[in-house]
Amino acid sequence: MTAMVASAAEQTLQTVAGALARARRVAVLTGAGMSADSGLPTYRGIGGLYNGIEIEAGMPIEDILHAYTLARDPALTWKYIAEIERACRGAGPNAGHAVLASWQAVRDIWVVTQNVDGFHRAAGSHQVIELHGNLSQLFCCACMAEYSIDVVDLTQLPPRCTACDGLVRPRVVLFGELLPPDAMAEYERELARGFDLLFVIGTSAMFPYIHGPVVEARARGCLTVEINPDVTVLSHAVDHRLAGGARDILQQLDRLLAAA
Ligand code: OAD
């Protein structure tokens, strides 16, 4: 029985590697699970940041990381932003990020990420759409002066603008805020151009702008593949599900691709 299950999984890997070898345009939609192998926490699931439900002041983390709370009590929102930033600072891209970057040499690959850690670009991916922004870029809410995370003093929260003393915040999407229009326009443009193959990796795919395009791409004839150790809302909506960690599965696919 175990041998049959293992061989079915192996066959799926072979099928996906074959499709990847033929694909010219590939979309890769990633979430927190992509960086879990770098040691970053996910938002939901085991060890997830949102598991505490009521974290502080009787507020769930979705309320703490909300635009309204940033305006009313910036030190509280910043306390949790700084925690995510600390985790990112001590980490970097893993071998899974590197595999995705290496695949772009001979195909048109678009990485669409909900992650704010910047690891896809750091690993060398060029066509990266950051739907939720990037934690290393900050700006002053009053005078719009731009800052890099390296020069902002995070020992005093919230950080203040050195020019006008306004509130400094990261260029990330908080709850209650719109997605960055440029990133969304780029995402919609590339989706409209179509893909041969679409991977959805390490995301619970809760948001309609993630699960919607996967379902639509499949309906248009694109092969859709999920990489995730757990079942998600998309698991039964994709052509193939590769159950496992992103780094391991991507490395296995890469080995099969080299042999194809
Ligand atoms: P979630 O925390 O919702 O989901 C993480 C997913 O990664 C889960 O489906 C896990 O099963 C999976 N996972 C865990 N370890 C993995 C591994 N080693 N390899 C592959 N997958 C693994 O994170 P996201 O879907 O990214 O937004 O969450 C989306 C958004 O919700 C975040 O960007 C954030 C959050 O609210 C904002 O802050 C605006």
Side-chain angles (χ1 to χ4, degrees), residues 31-33 36-37 42-44 50 114-115 132 173 175 202-205 207 227-230 232 244-246:
D37 295 322
T42 58
Y43 294 91
R44 304 171 184 85
Y50 293 178
Q114 298 159 86
N115 298 344
H132 291 170
V173 177
F175 287 93
T203 176
S204 53
F207 298 125
I227 300 176
N228 198 312
D230 287 328
T232 75

PDB file of all heavy atoms in Angstrom, residues 31-33 36-37 42-44 50 114-115 132 173 175 202-205 207 227-230 232 244-246, ligand 1:
ATOM      1  N   GLY A  31       2.938  32.010  -1.080  1.00  0.00           N
ATOM      2  CA  GLY A  31       2.512  32.559   0.204  1.00  0.00           C
ATOM      3  C   GLY A  31       3.529  32.203   1.279  1.00  0.00           C
ATOM      4  O   GLY A  31       4.635  31.717   0.983  1.00  0.00           O
ATOM      5  N   ALA A  32       3.128  32.409   2.514  1.00  0.00           N
ATOM      6  CA  ALA A  32       4.043  32.280   3.653  1.00  0.00           C
ATOM      7  C   ALA A  32       4.747  30.922   3.723  1.00  0.00           C
ATOM      8  O   ALA A  32       5.878  30.837   4.195  1.00  0.00           O
ATOM      9  CB  ALA A  32       3.278  32.538   4.952  1.00  0.00           C
ATOM     10  N   GLY A  33       4.097  29.854   3.250  1.00  0.00           N
ATOM     11  CA  GLY A  33       4.708  28.521   3.294  1.00  0.00           C
ATOM     12  C   GLY A  33       5.991  28.452   2.466  1.00  0.00           C
ATOM     13  O   GLY A  33       6.870  27.627   2.732  1.00  0.00           O
ATOM     14  N   ALA A  36       8.573  29.316   4.822  1.00  0.00           N
ATOM     15  CA  ALA A  36       8.599  28.528   6.069  1.00  0.00           C
ATOM     16  C   ALA A  36       9.921  27.765   6.162  1.00  0.00           C
ATOM     17  O   ALA A  36      10.499  27.630   7.248  1.00  0.00           O
ATOM     18  CB  ALA A  36       7.422  27.558   6.114  1.00  0.00           C
ATOM     19  N   ASP A  37      10.429  27.298   5.015  1.00  0.00           N
ATOM     20  CA  ASP A  37      11.701  26.576   5.022  1.00  0.00           C
ATOM     21  C   ASP A  37      12.898  27.508   5.239  1.00  0.00           C
ATOM     22  O   ASP A  37      14.028  27.053   5.372  1.00  0.00           O
ATOM     23  CB  ASP A  37      11.870  25.786   3.719  1.00  0.00           C
ATOM     24  CG  ASP A  37      10.827  24.686   3.593  1.00  0.00           C
ATOM     25  OD1 ASP A  37      10.497  24.063   4.609  1.00  0.00           O
ATOM     26  OD2 ASP A  37      10.322  24.459   2.468  1.00  0.00           O
ATOM     27  N   THR A  42       4.413  31.077   9.416  1.00  0.00           N
ATOM     28  CA  THR A  42       3.279  31.343   8.523  1.00  0.00           C
ATOM     29  C   THR A  42       2.269  32.173   9.316  1.00  0.00           C
ATOM     30  O   THR A  42       2.476  32.466  10.492  1.00  0.00           O
ATOM     31  CB  THR A  42       2.643  30.030   8.026  1.00  0.00           C
ATOM     32  OG1 THR A  42       2.220  29.288   9.162  1.00  0.00           O
ATOM     33  CG2 THR A  42       3.624  29.218   7.195  1.00  0.00           C
ATOM     34  N   TYR A  43       1.180  32.576   8.671  1.00  0.00           N
ATOM     35  CA  TYR A  43       0.147  33.350   9.363  1.00  0.00           C
ATOM     36  C   TYR A  43      -0.872  32.419  10.011  1.00  0.00           C
ATOM     37  O   TYR A  43      -1.322  32.635  11.119  1.00  0.00           O
ATOM     38  CB  TYR A  43      -0.568  34.297   8.384  1.00  0.00           C
ATOM     39  CG  TYR A  43       0.365  35.359   7.873  1.00  0.00           C
ATOM     40  CD1 TYR A  43       1.099  35.162   6.701  1.00  0.00           C
ATOM     41  CD2 TYR A  43       0.553  36.539   8.575  1.00  0.00           C
ATOM     42  CE1 TYR A  43       1.978  36.126   6.246  1.00  0.00           C
ATOM     43  CE2 TYR A  43       1.426  37.507   8.132  1.00  0.00           C
ATOM     44  CZ  TYR A  43       2.141  37.304   6.968  1.00  0.00           C
ATOM     45  OH  TYR A  43       3.021  38.245   6.523  1.00  0.00           O
ATOM     46  N   ARG A  44      -1.238  31.352   9.263  1.00  0.00           N
ATOM     47  CA  ARG A  44      -2.261  30.428   9.747  1.00  0.00           C
ATOM     48  C   ARG A  44      -1.663  29.028   9.856  1.00  0.00           C
ATOM     49  O   ARG A  44      -0.581  28.780   9.352  1.00  0.00           O
ATOM     50  CB  ARG A  44      -3.467  30.419   8.804  1.00  0.00           C
ATOM     51  CG  ARG A  44      -4.044  31.816   8.618  1.00  0.00           C
ATOM     52  CD  ARG A  44      -5.086  31.904   7.529  1.00  0.00           C
ATOM     53  NE  ARG A  44      -5.519  33.298   7.362  1.00  0.00           N
ATOM     54  CZ  ARG A  44      -4.886  34.192   6.596  1.00  0.00           C
ATOM     55  NH1 ARG A  44      -3.814  33.854   5.891  1.00  0.00           N
ATOM     56  NH2 ARG A  44      -5.329  35.430   6.520  1.00  0.00           N
ATOM     57  N   TYR A  50      -1.254  33.945  13.499  1.00  0.00           N
ATOM     58  CA  TYR A  50      -2.630  34.310  13.824  1.00  0.00           C
ATOM     59  C   TYR A  50      -3.297  33.306  14.767  1.00  0.00           C
ATOM     60  O   TYR A  50      -4.489  33.374  14.997  1.00  0.00           O
ATOM     61  CB  TYR A  50      -3.483  34.399  12.552  1.00  0.00           C
ATOM     62  CG  TYR A  50      -3.114  35.527  11.614  1.00  0.00           C
ATOM     63  CD1 TYR A  50      -3.783  35.683  10.411  1.00  0.00           C
ATOM     64  CD2 TYR A  50      -2.111  36.437  11.924  1.00  0.00           C
ATOM     65  CE1 TYR A  50      -3.455  36.714   9.537  1.00  0.00           C
ATOM     66  CE2 TYR A  50      -1.775  37.458  11.063  1.00  0.00           C
ATOM     67  CZ  TYR A  50      -2.453  37.591   9.863  1.00  0.00           C
ATOM     68  OH  TYR A  50      -2.131  38.596   8.996  1.00  0.00           O
ATOM     69  N   GLN A 114       2.521  36.894  -2.049  1.00  0.00           N
ATOM     70  CA  GLN A 114       1.863  37.638  -0.964  1.00  0.00           C
ATOM     71  C   GLN A 114       2.885  37.931   0.132  1.00  0.00           C
ATOM     72  O   GLN A 114       2.563  38.591   1.107  1.00  0.00           O
ATOM     73  CB  GLN A 114       0.731  36.802  -0.374  1.00  0.00           C
ATOM     74  CG  GLN A 114      -0.380  36.473  -1.363  1.00  0.00           C
ATOM     75  CD  GLN A 114      -1.178  35.265  -0.890  1.00  0.00           C
ATOM     76  OE1 GLN A 114      -2.113  35.394  -0.121  1.00  0.00           O
ATOM     77  NE2 GLN A 114      -0.803  34.082  -1.339  1.00  0.00           N
ATOM     78  N   ASN A 115       4.098  37.421  -0.027  1.00  0.00           N
ATOM     79  CA  ASN A 115       5.109  37.589   1.022  1.00  0.00           C
ATOM     80  C   ASN A 115       5.751  38.972   0.939  1.00  0.00           C
ATOM     81  O   ASN A 115       5.970  39.500  -0.148  1.00  0.00           O
ATOM     82  CB  ASN A 115       6.183  36.504   0.898  1.00  0.00           C
ATOM     83  CG  ASN A 115       5.598  35.117   1.074  1.00  0.00           C
ATOM     84  OD1 ASN A 115       4.474  34.978   1.572  1.00  0.00           O
ATOM     85  ND2 ASN A 115       6.317  34.093   0.669  1.00  0.00           N
ATOM     86  N   HIS A 132       1.455  42.207  -1.643  1.00  0.00           N
ATOM     87  CA  HIS A 132       1.266  42.795  -0.308  1.00  0.00           C
ATOM     88  C   HIS A 132       2.406  43.736   0.073  1.00  0.00           C
ATOM     89  O   HIS A 132       2.555  44.075   1.239  1.00  0.00           O
ATOM     90  CB  HIS A 132       1.115  41.683   0.745  1.00  0.00           C
ATOM     91  CG  HIS A 132      -0.170  40.919   0.606  1.00  0.00           C
ATOM     92  ND1 HIS A 132      -0.452  39.758   1.298  1.00  0.00           N
ATOM     93  CD2 HIS A 132      -1.263  41.151  -0.172  1.00  0.00           C
ATOM     94  CE1 HIS A 132      -1.658  39.322   0.957  1.00  0.00           C
ATOM     95  NE2 HIS A 132      -2.165  40.136   0.066  1.00  0.00           N
ATOM     96  N   VAL A 173       0.708  45.985   2.733  1.00  0.00           N
ATOM     97  CA  VAL A 173      -0.747  46.101   2.777  1.00  0.00           C
ATOM     98  C   VAL A 173      -1.238  45.639   4.149  1.00  0.00           C
ATOM     99  O   VAL A 173      -1.019  44.494   4.540  1.00  0.00           O
ATOM    100  CB  VAL A 173      -1.388  45.243   1.662  1.00  0.00           C
ATOM    101  CG1 VAL A 173      -2.908  45.293   1.742  1.00  0.00           C
ATOM    102  CG2 VAL A 173      -0.894  45.688   0.293  1.00  0.00           C
ATOM    103  N   PHE A 175      -4.592  45.136   6.825  1.00  0.00           N
ATOM    104  CA  PHE A 175      -6.018  44.847   6.676  1.00  0.00           C
ATOM    105  C   PHE A 175      -6.766  46.171   6.524  1.00  0.00           C
ATOM    106  O   PHE A 175      -6.398  47.168   7.137  1.00  0.00           O
ATOM    107  CB  PHE A 175      -6.537  44.050   7.877  1.00  0.00           C
ATOM    108  CG  PHE A 175      -6.056  42.619   7.843  1.00  0.00           C
ATOM    109  CD1 PHE A 175      -4.908  42.245   8.505  1.00  0.00           C
ATOM    110  CD2 PHE A 175      -6.741  41.662   7.101  1.00  0.00           C
ATOM    111  CE1 PHE A 175      -4.438  40.942   8.452  1.00  0.00           C
ATOM    112  CE2 PHE A 175      -6.283  40.355   7.041  1.00  0.00           C
ATOM    113  CZ  PHE A 175      -5.136  39.989   7.713  1.00  0.00           C
ATOM    114  N   GLY A 202       2.516  27.110  -1.051  1.00  0.00           N
ATOM    115  CA  GLY A 202       2.628  27.589   0.331  1.00  0.00           C
ATOM    116  C   GLY A 202       1.677  28.702   0.710  1.00  0.00           C
ATOM    117  O   GLY A 202       2.056  29.581   1.477  1.00  0.00           O
ATOM    118  N   THR A 203       0.471  28.645   0.174  1.00  0.00           N
ATOM    119  CA  THR A 203      -0.525  29.649   0.583  1.00  0.00           C
ATOM    120  C   THR A 203      -1.845  28.962   0.908  1.00  0.00           C
ATOM    121  O   THR A 203      -2.223  27.986   0.250  1.00  0.00           O
ATOM    122  CB  THR A 203      -0.740  30.726  -0.504  1.00  0.00           C
ATOM    123  OG1 THR A 203      -1.788  31.611  -0.071  1.00  0.00           O
ATOM    124  CG2 THR A 203      -1.081  30.155  -1.860  1.00  0.00           C
ATOM    125  N   SER A 204      -2.529  29.509   1.927  1.00  0.00           N
ATOM    126  CA  SER A 204      -3.853  28.973   2.241  1.00  0.00           C
ATOM    127  C   SER A 204      -4.875  29.474   1.209  1.00  0.00           C
ATOM    128  O   SER A 204      -6.013  29.032   1.217  1.00  0.00           O
ATOM    129  CB  SER A 204      -4.271  29.368   3.660  1.00  0.00           C
ATOM    130  OG  SER A 204      -4.166  30.761   3.823  1.00  0.00           O
ATOM    131  N   ALA A 205      -4.446  30.372   0.325  1.00  0.00           N
ATOM    132  CA  ALA A 205      -5.264  30.851  -0.808  1.00  0.00           C
ATOM    133  C   ALA A 205      -6.625  31.382  -0.351  1.00  0.00           C
ATOM    134  O   ALA A 205      -7.636  31.192  -1.020  1.00  0.00           O
ATOM    135  CB  ALA A 205      -5.414  29.739  -1.862  1.00  0.00           C
ATOM    136  N   PHE A 207      -7.602  34.469  -0.124  1.00  0.00           N
ATOM    137  CA  PHE A 207      -8.093  35.677  -0.778  1.00  0.00           C
ATOM    138  C   PHE A 207      -8.557  35.385  -2.207  1.00  0.00           C
ATOM    139  O   PHE A 207      -7.924  34.609  -2.927  1.00  0.00           O
ATOM    140  CB  PHE A 207      -6.995  36.751  -0.797  1.00  0.00           C
ATOM    141  CG  PHE A 207      -6.570  37.185   0.585  1.00  0.00           C
ATOM    142  CD1 PHE A 207      -5.243  37.131   0.973  1.00  0.00           C
ATOM    143  CD2 PHE A 207      -7.510  37.634   1.503  1.00  0.00           C
ATOM    144  CE1 PHE A 207      -4.855  37.529   2.253  1.00  0.00           C
ATOM    145  CE2 PHE A 207      -7.125  38.030   2.776  1.00  0.00           C
ATOM    146  CZ  PHE A 207      -5.798  37.973   3.157  1.00  0.00           C
ATOM    147  N   ILE A 227       1.522  23.100  -4.435  1.00  0.00           N
ATOM    148  CA  ILE A 227       2.563  22.514  -3.576  1.00  0.00           C
ATOM    149  C   ILE A 227       2.291  22.996  -2.163  1.00  0.00           C
ATOM    150  O   ILE A 227       2.365  24.200  -1.871  1.00  0.00           O
ATOM    151  CB  ILE A 227       3.978  22.939  -4.026  1.00  0.00           C
ATOM    152  CG1 ILE A 227       4.243  22.491  -5.466  1.00  0.00           C
ATOM    153  CG2 ILE A 227       5.033  22.375  -3.077  1.00  0.00           C
ATOM    154  CD1 ILE A 227       5.594  22.940  -6.039  1.00  0.00           C
ATOM    155  N   ASN A 228       1.953  22.084  -1.278  1.00  0.00           N
ATOM    156  CA  ASN A 228       1.579  22.452   0.092  1.00  0.00           C
ATOM    157  C   ASN A 228       1.487  21.163   0.913  1.00  0.00           C
ATOM    158  O   ASN A 228       0.939  20.170   0.431  1.00  0.00           O
ATOM    159  CB  ASN A 228       0.196  23.154   0.077  1.00  0.00           C
ATOM    160  CG  ASN A 228      -0.089  23.938   1.344  1.00  0.00           C
ATOM    161  OD1 ASN A 228       0.092  23.442   2.445  1.00  0.00           O
ATOM    162  ND2 ASN A 228      -0.541  25.172   1.178  1.00  0.00           N
ATOM    163  N   PRO A 229       2.009  21.155   2.140  1.00  0.00           N
ATOM    164  CA  PRO A 229       1.891  19.929   2.940  1.00  0.00           C
ATOM    165  C   PRO A 229       0.454  19.673   3.405  1.00  0.00           C
ATOM    166  O   PRO A 229       0.104  18.537   3.736  1.00  0.00           O
ATOM    167  CB  PRO A 229       2.807  20.194   4.147  1.00  0.00           C
ATOM    168  CG  PRO A 229       3.000  21.667   4.194  1.00  0.00           C
ATOM    169  CD  PRO A 229       2.789  22.203   2.819  1.00  0.00           C
ATOM    170  N   ASP A 230      -0.354  20.750   3.434  1.00  0.00           N
ATOM    171  CA  ASP A 230      -1.733  20.609   3.914  1.00  0.00           C
ATOM    172  C   ASP A 230      -2.736  20.844   2.800  1.00  0.00           C
ATOM    173  O   ASP A 230      -2.409  21.413   1.766  1.00  0.00           O
ATOM    174  CB  ASP A 230      -2.004  21.610   5.051  1.00  0.00           C
ATOM    175  CG  ASP A 230      -1.301  21.207   6.335  1.00  0.00           C
ATOM    176  OD1 ASP A 230      -1.151  19.990   6.555  1.00  0.00           O
ATOM    177  OD2 ASP A 230      -0.884  22.099   7.088  1.00  0.00           O
ATOM    178  N   THR A 232      -5.848  22.750   1.132  1.00  0.00           N
ATOM    179  CA  THR A 232      -6.359  24.133   1.143  1.00  0.00           C
ATOM    180  C   THR A 232      -7.661  24.193   0.337  1.00  0.00           C
ATOM    181  O   THR A 232      -8.089  23.183  -0.233  1.00  0.00           O
ATOM    182  CB  THR A 232      -5.349  25.110   0.496  1.00  0.00           C
ATOM    183  OG1 THR A 232      -5.393  24.928  -0.926  1.00  0.00           O
ATOM    184  CG2 THR A 232      -3.938  24.904   0.995  1.00  0.00           C
ATOM    185  N   GLY A 244       3.687  18.360   0.260  1.00  0.00           N
ATOM    186  CA  GLY A 244       5.008  18.411   0.890  1.00  0.00           C
ATOM    187  C   GLY A 244       5.478  19.834   1.022  1.00  0.00           C
ATOM    188  O   GLY A 244       4.786  20.778   0.622  1.00  0.00           O
ATOM    189  N   GLY A 245       6.649  19.999   1.591  1.00  0.00           N
ATOM    190  CA  GLY A 245       7.233  21.323   1.763  1.00  0.00           C
ATOM    191  C   GLY A 245       7.711  21.880   0.428  1.00  0.00           C
ATOM    192  O   GLY A 245       8.139  21.122  -0.451  1.00  0.00           O
ATOM    193  N   ALA A 246       7.649  23.197   0.301  1.00  0.00           N
ATOM    194  CA  ALA A 246       8.004  23.849  -0.964  1.00  0.00           C
ATOM    195  C   ALA A 246       9.447  23.561  -1.379  1.00  0.00           C
ATOM    196  O   ALA A 246       9.726  23.209  -2.530  1.00  0.00           O
ATOM    197  CB  ALA A 246       7.788  25.347  -0.839  1.00  0.00           C
TER     198      ALA A 246
HETATM  199  P1  OAD B   1      -1.033  31.316   5.502  1.00  0.00           P
HETATM  200  O1  OAD B   1      -0.345  31.319   6.823  1.00  0.00           O
HETATM  201  O2  OAD B   1      -2.489  31.609   5.461  1.00  0.00           O
HETATM  202  O3  OAD B   1      -0.824  29.897   4.818  1.00  0.00           O
HETATM  203  C1  OAD B   1       0.437  29.286   4.780  1.00  0.00           C
HETATM  204  C2  OAD B   1       0.311  28.031   3.977  1.00  0.00           C
HETATM  205  O4  OAD B   1       1.602  27.491   3.846  1.00  0.00           O
HETATM  206  C3  OAD B   1      -0.580  26.964   4.598  1.00  0.00           C
HETATM  207  O5  OAD B   1      -1.475  26.464   3.619  1.00  0.00           O
HETATM  208  C4  OAD B   1       0.418  25.885   5.033  1.00  0.00           C
HETATM  209  O6  OAD B   1      -0.139  24.581   4.921  1.00  0.00           O
HETATM  210  C5  OAD B   1       1.515  26.097   4.018  1.00  0.00           C
HETATM  211  N1  OAD B   1       2.842  25.624   4.440  1.00  0.00           N
HETATM  212  C6  OAD B   1       3.361  25.515   5.682  1.00  0.00           C
HETATM  213  N2  OAD B   1       4.632  25.089   5.621  1.00  0.00           N
HETATM  214  C7  OAD B   1       4.945  24.922   4.309  1.00  0.00           C
HETATM  215  C8  OAD B   1       6.093  24.507   3.598  1.00  0.00           C
HETATM  216  N3  OAD B   1       7.223  24.171   4.222  1.00  0.00           N
HETATM  217  N4  OAD B   1       6.035  24.468   2.256  1.00  0.00           N
HETATM  218  C9  OAD B   1       4.895  24.810   1.588  1.00  0.00           C
HETATM  219  N5  OAD B   1       3.778  25.206   2.216  1.00  0.00           N
HETATM  220  C10 OAD B   1       3.798  25.262   3.562  1.00  0.00           C
HETATM  221  O7  OAD B   1      -0.194  32.303   4.585  1.00  0.00           O
HETATM  222  P2  OAD B   1      -0.626  33.024   3.235  1.00  0.00           P
HETATM  223  O8  OAD B   1      -1.527  32.173   2.433  1.00  0.00           O
HETATM  224  O9  OAD B   1       0.608  33.555   2.628  1.00  0.00           O
HETATM  225  O10 OAD B   1      -1.530  39.195   4.415  1.00  0.00           O
HETATM  226  O11 OAD B   1      -1.467  34.221   3.837  1.00  0.00           O
HETATM  227  C11 OAD B   1      -1.899  35.200   2.962  1.00  0.00           C
HETATM  228  C12 OAD B   1      -1.912  36.516   3.638  1.00  0.00           C
HETATM  229  O12 OAD B   1      -2.653  36.448   4.853  1.00  0.00           O
HETATM  230  C13 OAD B   1      -0.566  37.051   4.081  1.00  0.00           C
HETATM  231  O13 OAD B   1       0.172  37.646   3.054  1.00  0.00           O
HETATM  232  C14 OAD B   1      -0.960  38.059   5.100  1.00  0.00           C
HETATM  233  C15 OAD B   1      -2.029  37.291   5.818  1.00  0.00           C
HETATM  234  O14 OAD B   1      -3.038  38.041   6.375  1.00  0.00           O
HETATM  235  C16 OAD B   1      -1.462  40.404   4.962  1.00  0.00           C
HETATM  236  O15 OAD B   1      -0.839  40.631   5.975  1.00  0.00           O
HETATM  237  C17 OAD B   1      -2.185  41.455   4.180  1.00  0.00           C
END
